[in-house]
Amino acid sequence: MSSRTPTGGASNQGAAGGSQRDRTIGDEWWRREVVYQVYPRSFVDSNGDGIGDLDGVRSRVDHFSWLGVGAVWLSPFYPSGGVDNGYDVANYCAVDPVYGTLDQFDTLVDRLHRSGIRVIIDQIYNHSSDEHPWFTASRSSVTDNQRDWYIWRPPRRGHRGGEPGAEPNDWQSFFGGPAWTFDAASGEYYLHLFHRKQPDLNWTNRDLREAVRRAMQWWLDRDVDGLRLDVINLIAKPAGLPDAASHPDLLAMLSANPALHSYLAALRTSLGSRRTGPPTLIGEMPGASADVASLATSTERGELDMAISFDHVELDRGETKWDRVPFPGGRLGTTLAKWQLDVGQTGWNALYLSSHDQPRAVSRFGDDEAHRARSAKTLATVLHLHRGTPVVYQGEEAAMANYPFSSLDEVRDVESMNYAADALAGGARREHVLDVIGAVGRDNARTPVQWDGSHGGGFSHADPWISMNPDHVDWNIAVQRGDGESVLHHYRWLVALRRRWPIVADGTFEPLVWNHPQVYAFVRELGAQRLVVVANLSDAGTPAPDLGVETLDLIHSNPDVELRTSPIDVLEPWESRVWIRRVDGDARPVDVH
Ligand code: TEU
Ligand code: CA
């Protein structure tokens, strides 16, 4: 295995003017780099079975290098029970043959490291698959010594006669229905916050925690640089497992458990890598408050390096994710700003608009018809110039849009399939169900990456496991590589800007407008340097609000207007501008592209 490291060299290139950097925060790589999320199943299929794989990822390392990202996060590639595309792990220390072999994994890691790119892998330890040997043992008998590795409870007494159907509490699963499944052999229920084939692990059990630590360390010993910890805020269940009344209440209750912080602190001190020292830890935290995220990622505690939060991707959510409410104008900016202020100053945010769990950002927050490129660029500008670590989800850099579902046969995701079955059984119209899945279903993110306009889109020569979006003929990475004004080139510019300008990584954050129905604007400051971003996040032109900031050097405008320093009076639909005030002695020229 190569011992070449991605530290120094490529990773820090362009980090100009160390003296300008605010020394009160650390020099960790992730403060000035961008992470790229790969969902291996949908990235590139190297062996023609219609499913993306690890060799496919390796074949596109040049794409990561060209974009300039500092790390790649790989969604699961482990053997799985097959219900949640790998988020139901059946063996924590192996590669699913569908994705390749352990050798191919090592080769990929080595290849990425040689290009100066770090490797972050997904780790799913809130639950395992029910096919994992830990669960097989746990389920085998109430006296098995791994029984307690999962969460078993007898039926609730005095409730519907204490028979099956009398779940131990009222918790509902993320994927619909009760979070408990009855096991007839032992007469007990087991807990699963997700699918019934994803039983929750019992973190109060010391042996379980030690087994988890060992499995994580096993990957770190293979030179992995960081771990993305799936739903990590849900691992600590409150004593007595009290009723929750609602889904948000349940998430808040689980996240607020102080035991979470002791588990994380213990992990932090016990994990290490021979090569890079402490691994980068990214915690996914759906439903966690800003207080919890801030605590876990604060420099003092350092339990996690950054938190993935959810408020901004739930703005269109009603009681459940399928009851959609109209997207409230202006709320996107305000919500992002809130997390900048509440978490970003003392802790650290992962910044994202899309992931494998969310509909495509340009379709949801932007305008994928009249202003597709422009809105994709403006959304990226706003996100990337925040304080935190931007995460680009595969295909986002080429403005990939939602899939035009025309039949339920095209749906692959268990969450959407469960919803469709329930909704249809409850009398919902098929068109409505398709509409809702088309707007918020997770499959939108999982259609194959659109590399080029050919029949298979550059993803595979075989029929893909999920349909390719027909718009790949016009919207693809190859076309955009050849167009300096494309969304793709804009992402590359944003990545470079973060590396070159310490203010992007280290500057403070202050919103310049609050609750404006269309315009979002903010200022970053570092010493005498200042960066201002103003964006119209809507389809309609608007008079520019008075930002109360002095004239600066305009370094970017979308769409291109003559570069000038005078104040703006009108913002066109989805227009955004970026200014930097340079201070004497700034070594670098202001480059626009
Ligand atoms: O996601 C957790 C999570 O919050 C999602 O289930 C989210 O609520 C849902 O996708 C919204 O529609 C993580 C993984 O990212 C996801 O892919 C897994 O399905 C889930 O955990 C279970 O492991
Ligand atoms: Ca394949």
Side-chain angles (χ1 to χ4, degrees):
M1 182 145 261
S2 160
S3 60
R4 297 279 294 273
T5 86
T7 47
S11 63
N12 281 333
Q13 87 189 189
S19 59
Q20 292 170 2
R21 191 161 301 147
D22 176 0
R23 286 291 172 189
T24 60
I25 65 164
D27 264 343
E28 298 92 343
W29 67 268
W30 40 263
R31 295 187 191 270
R32 45 196 52 82
E33 303 272 2
V34 172
V35 173
Y36 187 100
Q37 184 192 351
V38 168
Y39 195 69
R41 199 174 179 81
S42 305
F43 195 66
V44 175
D45 168 25
S46 73
N47 63 349
D49 62 358
I51 300 177
D53 45 54
L54 295 177
D55 272 358
V57 180
R58 186 158 56 90
S59 71
R60 297 287 174 159
V61 171
D62 287 349
H63 181 63
F64 311 136
S65 298
W66 183 84
L67 272 175
V69 297
V72 164
W73 147 26
L74 297 169
S75 275
F77 47 83
Y78 322 107
S80 100
V83 288
D84 196 17
N85 283 357
Y87 285 89
D88 48 330
V89 181
N91 181 348
Y92 284 113
C93 298
V95 173
D96 188 323
V98 161
Y99 299 117
T101 63
L102 210 45
D103 273 352
Q104 285 167 336
F105 175 79
D106 290 339
T107 310
L108 171 61
V109 170
D110 191 48
R111 173 76 183 82
L112 285 163
H113 283 168
R114 277 190 285 114
S115 298
I117 298 167
R118 293 167 186 78
V119 180
I120 296 168
I121 60 169
D122 232 300
Q123 296 281 278
I124 303 104
Y125 286 105
N126 173 70
H127 47 269
S128 71
S129 164
D130 67 339
E131 295 177 23
H132 195 288
W134 294 351
F135 189 73
T136 320
S138 180
R139 157 183 261 175
S140 67
S141 141
V142 288
T143 57
D144 187 273
N145 62 9
Q146 279 173 293
R147 180 68 171 181
D148 189 42
W149 285 31
Y150 292 82
I151 301 171
W152 294 95
R153 290 290 182 279
R156 193 194 289 226
R157 292 221 310 206
H159 187 71
R160 277 183 273 160
E163 288 305 317
E167 288 84 16
N169 68 23
D170 69 354
W171 296 3
Q172 294 293 301
S173 140
F174 273 83
F175 295 155
W180 296 93
T181 288
F182 188 67
D183 175 53
S186 62
E188 292 191 327
Y189 283 88
Y190 66 87
L191 177 71
H192 54 89
L193 294 180
F194 293 88
H195 195 271
R196 68 186 156 69
K197 282 180 65 62
Q198 293 169 297
D200 280 46
L201 291 161
N202 178 15
W203 278 69
T204 65
N205 185 294
R206 185 186 297 262
D207 295 341
L208 175 276
R209 294 201 305 272
E210 175 55 17
V212 167
R213 189 200 62 77
R214 275 203 308 268
M216 289 182 176
Q217 186 61 46
W218 187 87
W219 289 103
L220 295 172
D221 290 343
R222 301 196 92 83
D223 276 357
V224 159
D225 305 274
L227 310 175
R228 179 266 190 191
L229 306 173
D230 193 62
V231 290
I232 199 65
N233 59 317
L234 307 184
I235 58 174
K237 309 324 189 241
L241 308 183
D243 282 342
S246 78
H247 177 82
D249 288 356
L250 172 59
L251 299 189
M253 184 204 295
L254 293 170
S255 311
N257 190 340
L260 169 65
H261 301 283
S262 39
Y263 296 149
L264 291 177
L267 264 187
R268 170 58 94 194
T269 49
S270 64
L271 294 175
S273 142
R274 275 169 307 164
R275 205 173 52 82
T276 53
T280 303
L281 298 180
I282 305 179
E284 189 208 22
M285 302 191 125
S289 68
D291 283 350
V292 170
S294 180
L295 211 57
T297 61
S298 66
T299 356
E300 281 140 56
R301 291 220 188 185
E303 296 164 5
L304 299 172
D305 293 308
M306 66 190 93
I308 298 177
S309 67
F310 282 72
D311 276 3
H312 65 296
V313 292
E314 300 204 328
L315 290 170
D316 51 2
R317 179 191 176 107
E319 202 173 314
T320 75
K321 87 175 246 175
W322 312 108
D323 308 305
R324 297 168 54 232
V325 296
F327 189 70
R331 288 281 301 286
L332 177 61
T334 313
T335 307
L336 293 172
K338 176 183 175 309
W339 281 77
Q340 287 287 295
L341 294 170
D342 294 353
V343 179
Q345 317 283 11
T346 50
W348 200 255
N349 286 300
L351 309 170
Y352 76 103
L353 292 174
S354 32
S355 78
H356 65 294
D357 290 335
Q358 302 298 330
R360 289 285 175 178
V362 69
S363 303
R364 184 193 220 174
F365 301 113
D367 173 354
D368 63 10
E369 289 174 359
H371 303 291
R372 181 153 166 185
R374 203 198 280 185
S375 63
K377 285 192 207 173
T378 282
L379 288 167
T381 299
V382 162
L383 193 80
H384 281 242
L385 297 182
H386 277 146
R387 186 177 157 95
T389 304
V391 182
V392 176
Y393 177 68
Q394 64 184 38
E396 176 192 335
E397 72 275 31
M400 275 180 65
N402 280 354
Y403 182 81
F405 287 91
S406 60
S407 150
L408 286 173
D409 296 340
E410 293 170 315
V411 176
R412 295 285 175 275
D413 179 23
V414 64
E415 185 187 55
S416 295
M417 292 195 294
N418 285 356
Y419 156 69
D422 281 359
L424 293 173
R429 283 178 309 111
R430 189 165 287 264
E431 301 71 53
H432 170 74
V433 169
L434 264 179
D435 244 33
V436 173
I437 290 177
V440 293
R442 304 195 296 184
D443 284 330
N444 286 302
R446 301 174 180 184
T447 62
V449 172
Q450 298 168 199
W451 294 102
D452 60 42
S454 69
H455 177 67
F459 168 71
S460 176
H461 297 299
D463 280 345
W465 70 277
I466 186 172
S467 299
M468 155 109 16
N469 196 319
D471 74 0
H472 76 277
V473 176
D474 301 312
W475 289 86
N476 63 63
I477 289 173
V479 163
Q480 294 187 36
R481 268 294 283 265
D483 171 7
E485 297 302 312
S486 64
V487 175
L488 184 67
H489 277 263
H490 185 65
Y491 268 83
R492 186 176 192 232
W493 176 73
L494 288 168
V495 172
L497 203 67
R498 173 168 293 266
R499 281 182 162 180
R500 290 203 193 129
W501 288 84
I503 191 171
V504 178
D506 300 338
T508 56
F509 169 92
E510 205 60 58
L512 291 174
V513 292
W514 198 253
N515 271 335
H516 189 290
Q518 294 164 274
V519 179
Y520 178 46
F522 57 87
V523 58
R524 309 281 313 276
E525 282 183 333
L526 183 68
Q529 228 176 44
R530 181 182 281 179
L531 168 72
V532 173
V533 177
V534 57
N536 177 1
L537 300 182
S538 84
D539 284 346
T542 173
D546 178 12
L547 300 178
V549 288
E550 58 190 277
T551 303
L552 306 159
D553 288 344
L554 181 65
I555 61 164
H556 181 77
S557 72
N558 167 37
D560 281 335
V561 294
E562 198 188 327
L563 294 187
R564 56 192 171 146
T565 53
S566 59
I568 33 167
D569 38 19
V570 173
L571 285 165
E572 291 178 35
W574 292 104
E575 175 172 358
S576 53
R577 301 195 192 184
V578 180
W579 294 263
I580 282 188
R581 183 179 67 191
R582 297 194 298 145
V583 286
D584 289 346
D586 271 353
R588 284 161 193 279
V590 176
D591 50 55
V592 176
H593 267 293

